[in-house]
Amino acid sequence: MNIAKLLEQRRLQWTELERLCGELEVRGRTQQRSAAAVSRFATLYRSACADLALATAYQLPPATVAYLHRLVGRAHNQLYRSGTSTFASWVDIVIRQAPQRIFSDPCVRVAALLFFGLFTLSMLFAWNETLFPQFAETVLGAEHMTMMESSFEEPLDASMDHYLMMSGFYIQHNTGIGLQCFAFGILLIPCLVTLSYNAVVLGASFGYMARDSVAAGDNFFQFVTAHGPFELTAIALSAGAGLRMGLGLFATGGLRRVDSLRLSALKAVPIMAAAVVMFFLAAFTEGFISPSPLPYVVKAAWAILSSGLLMFYFVVLGFPRRGDDAA
Amino acid sequence: MVVERTMIAVLFAPVPTKRRMAVSAPLDTTIEVVTPENIAFDYQLAGPFRRLPAYLIDVAIRLVTFLAIIFLVMMSGMLAGGLFGSGLLPALGAAVLLILYFLQAWFYGVFFEAYFNGRTPGKWICGLRVISDDGHPITGMQALIRNLLRAIDLMPATTLAALDPEDSFFAMLPLMTGMVGLVTMLSTRRLQRLGDLAAGTMVVMDERNWTLPVARVDDLRVPALSSFVPADYRATPTMAKALANYAERRLYLSPPRRREIARHLAVPLLDRFEFRRDVDPDLLLYAIYYRTFLADGVAEAPQLGSLSGFSPLAKDAQFQDATAAHTTAAAATQPSATHTAATQPSADHATALSPEDRS
């Protein structure tokens, strides 16, 4: 058998396949290519696959086999391309899948219970000056307390440019914390620590500002009322998504550990997507409505409206339906 | 047969056992992927030290583009501010910058890996690609999961304040150690970090070196010698593999080392073919390689003229040259190092060949 002749015959096809691969890699998509070229590419790919399969029968030299491995891998990557998710699929995830998961997922309940429980406890401790005189100062630090007080001494009144910039800041900062909490969830404990830290610090701030002795309290609650529902729920949700993912490492449900982790990550993403949407809504509220000198009634109305929206989202959209695989 | 196998073991495996040679366990950094065409091909996995440069390049690209955007926003803000005299535009610019920073920090990798077939610019420069661990390209969802989880893989964070407590600027910069990701990578079969595990992806080498390696025979004595190998000799599959390995690697060996390695296989063959004992072992293996892979095997006539690629005239001249070189001992005039190295044993052989060839 003459390998050299065989290689010469095949080589023409291989170089043609390489050329097509190169074009596909540079241009990315096949829009500019004719259908004939695409089908030619598929034909060449299959024949290269056949060559690789017969490589041992042909007793091809190892270097040629290595070359064929790379060629087939390269063509394989061009033929089977990554499926890009469309905007419509994300709308479906947020509107249909996420509420179903949130409604049925015990991890979300645990995270919500932990967050709002610690938040309430911490608020009560910080508020009650007689029983826990040192709590607020220990948690927040004296420096932070005076800073918080001084920043809410003035009545709320900001200009349009301040609103814009703060919205941007809240999107960047708060959503970042939420996503980080989600990512930490894969190891469970960092997520729980982040969640508890936020709950305790926020609760202590609320409790401290609610004291009668603190003059800036009124302005503070004027500020936080409007965006509170969205933001606090979003933090709890992102932690819930993280816990769902991390739990897959331990509660495998009969799957291999890696497969279970992968499956639970897929389950967690819709919850996190809903949390990101809430963070964005909270950021715009916090940027535009909260610091504005609007009457408190308007802000409270917005808070009630947003709570109602959340209830509708969780309960009406999330109620388990027959024949729905999301639950 | 048995002789050959044992010899191959001596030649290529550090431990000379047949079992070692027979089972060629793949390297632990390659992963086999079965395509829908039911073909298995290998990918080479990329470890932490290949992926770190790619990540650093991505960070640098993010930084540079962000600085460029800041510059553009400031320029346009100055121009627009000069025109309208409003305080609104700088604030809008700042908001846009903050949102861009957020998107870049979390979704840079998601975007590129989803839309450019598993490659960010840094990975493209370093020749890496993210694929799903069943060999398919990654989906948008996988790209999302693995990039969001980078936050935990880069943990624990520290600051440079430990090094320089006085400097407040460095103390503020967070320093990601990446220990979580490193430990996970080193302890998983496919060198996956936590994000890869959760998304079901792996990072592989995306080779871009596409030259087909064919060991070409440019030594004219090789076909000559191969025509004297008995026609009924067939290289076994293991022998053929050993020969191909040898022919590919002999270029990286010094001539004495080649002879030393080739002797183990060549000496029994010399006896079997009834050749002279002073034939160069390296040349003999090369000739069998040539015969197995390159020459026309069965159809080959004993005449050298039937070999493709060169004419009898050039061959005769070559042999005359070789003879002359041998007689004058002017090894330095030989055209290639291979010739020089193998002159001593094979020139005798060539001299013996030449009358027959002229006839």
Side-chain angles (χ1 to χ4, degrees):
Chain A
M1 156 172 31
N2 188 342
I3 298 295
K5 272 189 183 170
L6 187 78
L7 289 185
E8 275 313 310
Q9 287 171 3
R10 288 277 181 262
R11 193 176 186 152
L12 285 175
Q13 294 197 340
W14 293 344
T15 42
E16 192 184 348
L17 181 59
E18 270 183 32
R19 191 174 54 75
L20 287 174
C21 278
E23 285 175 9
L24 282 172
E25 275 168 16
V26 171
R27 288 189 196 155
R29 298 268 156 199
T30 55
Q31 286 151 353
Q32 295 169 357
R33 308 206 52 80
S34 65
V38 175
S39 99
R40 174 77 181 147
F41 173 78
T43 312
L44 289 173
Y45 167 67
R46 279 194 295 274
S47 73
C49 279
D51 289 335
L52 182 58
L54 292 171
T56 42
Y58 286 167
Q59 291 186 17
L60 292 186
T64 312
V65 176
Y67 167 81
L68 275 178
H69 275 294
R70 292 206 297 264
L71 180 65
V72 169
R74 190 186 183 197
H76 177 267
N77 272 332
Q78 294 306 318
L79 192 62
Y80 300 94
R81 299 181 70 91
S82 53
T84 48
S85 40
T86 58
F87 181 72
S89 70
W90 277 105
V91 168
D92 177 67
I93 284 176
V94 172
I95 298 294
R96 190 182 64 84
Q97 295 182 22
Q100 302 267 319
R101 295 234 182 271
I102 291 167
F103 191 88
S104 62
D105 200 331
C107 289
V108 174
R109 284 173 226 159
V110 168
L113 205 62
L114 184 70
F115 181 77
F116 288 109
L118 278 177
F119 179 83
T120 315
L121 269 184
S122 169
M123 187 162 73
L124 286 177
F125 286 178
W127 175 71
N128 198 327
E129 224 171 338
T130 49
L131 280 175
F132 309 98
Q134 294 299 313
F135 182 80
E137 200 176 338
T138 318
V139 170
L140 297 172
E143 197 181 332
H144 184 243
M145 280 159 74
T146 49
M147 198 184 76
M148 205 160 61
E149 251 178 289
S150 65
S151 67
F152 286 104
E153 264 168 8
E154 304 285 316
L156 296 173
D157 181 26
S159 55
M160 194 64 187
D161 53 339
H162 181 257
Y163 297 164
L164 268 175
M165 205 174 79
M166 287 323 280
S167 301
F169 172 75
Y170 291 130
I171 285 181
Q172 185 261 325
H173 183 256
N174 296 352
T175 319
I177 287 180
L179 287 172
Q180 201 181 36
C181 201
F182 167 70
F184 285 4
I186 195 171
L187 296 182
L188 290 183
I189 292 175
C191 172
L192 290 175
V193 169
T194 314
L195 183 72
S196 311
Y197 173 81
N198 277 303
V200 169
V201 169
L202 282 175
S205 308
F206 274 59
Y208 174 71
M209 295 307 262
R211 284 180 190 172
D212 291 337
S213 58
V214 178
D218 281 350
N219 289 331
F220 176 79
F221 282 100
Q222 287 233 352
F223 179 74
V224 295
T225 305
H227 63 264
F230 277 137
E231 193 164 295
L232 298 183
T233 316
I235 294 176
L237 272 188
S238 45
L243 292 182
R244 160 51 51 208
M245 182 168 59
L247 205 65
L249 265 180
F250 303 100
T252 55
L255 296 169
R256 285 193 311 160
R257 211 171 284 281
V258 171
D259 291 333
S260 158
L261 176 66
R262 195 175 309 164
L263 205 64
S264 55
L266 281 177
K267 282 182 185 170
V269 165
I271 305 177
M272 190 59 226
V276 167
V277 172
M278 279 175 214
F279 273 120
F280 273 58
L281 288 174
F284 282 113
T285 311
E286 194 172 357
F288 285 96
I289 297 179
S290 299
S292 68
L294 288 171
Y296 186 69
V297 182
V298 177
K299 293 181 184 176
W302 176 257
I304 291 168
L305 182 68
S306 55
S307 306
L309 275 176
L310 286 178
M311 282 302 123
F312 176 80
Y313 184 70
F314 292 146
V315 179
V316 177
L317 290 182
F319 201 79
R321 253 162 274 179
R322 188 182 293 270
D324 211 331
D325 59 336
Chain B
M1 273 329 151
V2 177
V3 172
E4 275 176 14
R5 283 208 181 141
T6 320
M7 288 303 140
I8 293 164
V10 169
L11 195 54
F12 292 104
V15 184
T17 57
K18 286 180 208 166
R19 187 173 291 275
R20 261 298 162 81
M21 193 56 214
V23 181
S24 60
L27 291 174
D28 61 355
T29 53
T30 59
I31 207 91
E32 195 181 74
V33 167
V34 179
T35 71
E37 291 78 18
N38 210 13
I39 303 295
F41 64 93
D42 291 341
Y43 269 125
Q44 196 189 345
L45 291 169
F49 298 102
R50 285 193 192 273
R51 291 164 67 169
L52 181 65
Y55 176 67
L56 292 180
I57 290 173
D58 279 333
V59 169
I61 289 174
R62 270 167 47 191
L63 196 69
V64 168
T65 49
F66 190 61
L67 288 179
I69 291 171
I70 286 181
F71 181 73
L72 279 178
V73 167
M74 279 175 66
M75 288 300 289
S76 58
M78 274 166 67
L79 286 176
L83 287 176
F84 302 111
S86 159
L88 201 61
L89 280 165
L92 184 66
V96 166
L97 280 182
L98 283 163
I99 293 173
L100 273 179
Y101 177 78
F102 164 75
L103 290 178
Q104 229 193 16
W106 289 96
F107 295 101
Y108 169 90
V110 182
F111 173 77
F112 281 107
E113 283 169 14
Y115 286 93
F116 293 90
N117 220 2
R119 286 183 302 184
T120 60
K123 289 196 179 67
W124 179 68
I125 290 169
C126 293
L128 304 179
R129 185 192 293 277
V130 188
I131 58 171
S132 176
D133 58 9
D134 53 5
H136 294 282
I138 64 169
T139 61
M141 187 64 89
Q142 284 176 314
L144 180 76
I145 293 173
R146 76 182 295 280
N147 279 289
L148 288 188
L149 288 189
R150 178 169 288 123
I152 185 78
D153 278 312
L154 286 175
M155 288 286 122
T158 178
T159 57
L160 289 174
L163 298 177
D164 191 3
E166 302 297 315
D167 199 327
S168 59
F169 176 71
F170 283 118
M172 282 173 63
L173 289 177
L175 182 69
M176 298 304 193
T177 53
M179 283 303 132
V180 172
L182 186 65
V183 169
T184 324
M185 250 189 248
L186 294 183
S187 50
T188 47
R189 160 89 177 84
R190 295 159 201 253
L191 306 176
Q192 292 160 300
R193 58 179 176 85
L194 280 178
D196 286 323
L197 283 175
T201 56
M202 59 184 177
V203 182
V204 296
M205 302 292 299
D206 194 27
E207 298 272 356
R208 268 176 289 171
N209 178 20
W210 299 110
T211 51
L212 175 57
V214 176
R216 283 194 317 196
V217 176
D218 47 2
D219 190 338
L220 291 177
R221 294 161 307 159
V222 170
L225 184 57
S226 76
S227 70
F228 283 88
V229 174
D232 61 344
Y233 175 74
R234 289 277 179 281
T236 59
T238 45
M239 180 69 175
K241 203 172 173 185
L243 285 173
N245 273 322
Y246 179 72
E248 276 159 19
R249 295 187 56 182
R250 67 188 281 280
L251 293 174
Y252 303 103
L253 304 171
S254 68
R257 183 82 180 132
R258 284 181 203 166
R259 249 172 263 150
E260 186 188 345
I261 289 176
R263 188 178 300 125
H264 300 289
L265 264 182
V267 168
L269 287 174
L270 285 177
D271 293 340
R272 182 169 162 187
F273 298 159
E274 295 173 350
F275 279 178
R276 292 171 54 159
R277 295 306 299 259
D278 57 356
V279 172
D280 188 358
D282 170 50
L283 201 64
L284 179 65
L285 285 197
Y286 207 19
I288 302 173
Y289 168 80
Y290 173 82
R291 187 191 157 88
T292 310
F293 287 115
L294 302 178
D296 267 325
V298 188
E300 187 194 12
Q303 281 80 24
L304 291 170
S306 69
L307 292 172
S308 59
F310 55 93
S311 75
L313 278 173
K315 169 202 66 188
D316 286 346
Q318 177 63 27
F319 285 132
Q320 281 159 6
D321 283 350
T323 317
H326 177 56
T327 46
T328 55
T333 60
Q334 293 293 319
S336 76
T338 320
H339 286 214
T340 320
T343 292
Q344 188 56 40
S346 62
D348 292 342
H349 192 74
T351 321
L353 281 175
S354 39
E356 184 190 336
D357 291 332
R358 283 201 189 94
S359 63

